[in-house]
């Protein structure tokens, strides 16, 4: 028997460029809203529901609106790199917040979702009042992916020589429903996107977190130290891929959201 309740069917929001974005609504609609955005090559239900976040957040009195980022889950999966700029991903989240008529929103993001949250919170501080951002580095690790090798693998099965590129493709291929052509388009499309820096740091209260075994730990700590109102959690014994399943992380996030409500 599953330890988490069944997930709702997706509701689709149309973003500014007419892309369909899948969303999942959990909990009491009058409760304080948490918008949850997953990491690269993952999906809303995998990142936030199967790991227990939606269960624990709703039990703590929060409403959760989880989003499949474009190129992932049940959302549309464009194949053009031009459809995956940071500005576009931020616009998708903003469209969801607008469509759901949400104000005083808490943002929950991990990895890519945390990067998107950093910029969204900076751009609409009147809507997003606090944020939990896990696994966020001060640079885009996808810049190191060899797009030429990734595309050759997807198009013709040519073996990938670059270790990091192979790891990204293996991770993406391991998630049911992923479209590798769309995933590679996202990697290419985001290569010149704006990075998280102290200069564009959100001013809202933030809890930032990274696993003690994550290679981006020190970079995340540095970024948090330069943000105006951020505190940092080192998640014991976790790496970049399994940190979202940590109960320590969930409990700290819920305590933070309750304290800043």
């Amino acid at each position: 028997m599953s330890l988490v309740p069944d997930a709702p069917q997706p509701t689709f929001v149309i973003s500014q460029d007419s892309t369909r974005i899948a969303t999942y609504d959990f909990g009491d609609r009058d409760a304080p809203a948490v918008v949850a955005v997953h990491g690269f090559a993952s999906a809303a239900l995998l990142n936030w529901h199967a790991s227990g976040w939606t269960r624990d957040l709703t039990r703590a009195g929060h409403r959760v609106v989880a989003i499949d980022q474009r190129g992932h889950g049940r959302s549309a999966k464009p194949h053009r790199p031009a459809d995956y700029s940071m500005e576009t991903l931020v616009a998708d989240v903003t469209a969801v917040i607008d469509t759901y008529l949400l104000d005083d929103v808490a943002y929950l993001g991990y990895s890519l979702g945390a990067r998107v949250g950093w910029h969204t919170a900076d751009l609409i501080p009147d809507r997003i009042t606090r944020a939990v951002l896990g696994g966020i580095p001060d640079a885009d690790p996808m810049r190191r992916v060899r797009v030429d090798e990734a595309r050759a693998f997807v198009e013709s099965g040519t073996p990938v020589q670059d270790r990091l590129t192979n790891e990204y493709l293996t991770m993406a291929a391991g998630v049911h429903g992923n479209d590798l052509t769309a995933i590679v388009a996202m990697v290419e499309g985001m290569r010149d996107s704006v990075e998280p820096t102290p200069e564009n740091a959100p001013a809202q209260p933030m809890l930032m977190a990274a696993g003690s075994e994550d290679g981006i730990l020190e970079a995340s700590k540095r970024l948090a130290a330069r943000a105006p109102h951020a505190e940092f959690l080192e998640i014991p014994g976790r790496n970049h891929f399994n940190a979202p399943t940590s109960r320590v992380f969930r409990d700290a996030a819920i305590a933070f959201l309750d304290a800043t409500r």
Side-chain angles (χ1 to χ4, degrees), residues 107 114-126 128-133 136 195-208 223-224 226-231:
Y107 187 101
R115 288 187 61 216
V116 173
W118 179 276
H119 299 297
T120 308
D122 181 45
L123 289 173
I124 54 170
D126 56 324
I128 295 175
T129 57
R130 56 214 185 280
V132 175
L133 305 179
I136 180 172
E195 305 286 3
T197 67
E199 289 68 36
N200 59 30
Q204 299 93 316
M206 294 191 296
L207 173 65
M208 298 176 63
L223 194 61
R226 299 288 300 278
H229 300 291
E231 53 188 276

Side-chain angles (χ1 to χ4, degrees), residues 168-228:
Y168 268 89
L169 286 174
T170 300
M171 174 179 65
V175 176
H176 176 72
N178 270 350
D179 177 336
L180 289 184
T181 301
I183 292 293
V184 174
M186 169 174 269
V187 172
E188 184 173 1
M190 294 194 66
R191 291 176 79 85
D192 296 320
S193 291
V194 61
E195 305 286 3
T197 67
E199 289 68 36
N200 59 30
Q204 299 93 316
M206 294 191 296
L207 173 65
M208 298 176 63
S212 62
E213 310 307 313
D214 193 334
I216 67 169
L217 174 64
E218 295 305 320
S220 290
K221 284 183 176 179
R222 288 194 300 270
L223 194 61
R226 299 288 300 278

Side-chain angles (χ1 to χ4, degrees), residues 40-41 142 145-155 157-175 178-185 187 241:
F40 175 76
M142 287 190 285
V145 172
R146 291 291 304 271
V147 172
D148 55 341
E149 290 192 24
R151 190 181 296 113
F153 172 80
V154 172
E155 293 175 353
T158 304
V160 175
Q161 301 300 318
D162 179 68
R163 180 187 60 80
L164 181 66
T165 303
N166 187 62
E167 288 178 356
Y168 268 89
L169 286 174
T170 300
M171 174 179 65
V175 176
N178 270 350
D179 177 336
L180 289 184
T181 301
I183 292 293
V184 174
V187 172
F241 300 103

Side-chain angles (χ1 to χ4, degrees), residues 233-236 245-253:
L233 169 70
E234 183 173 328
I235 307 166
T245 65
S246 166
R247 177 166 291 280
V248 171
F249 184 19
R250 290 202 306 277
D251 289 347

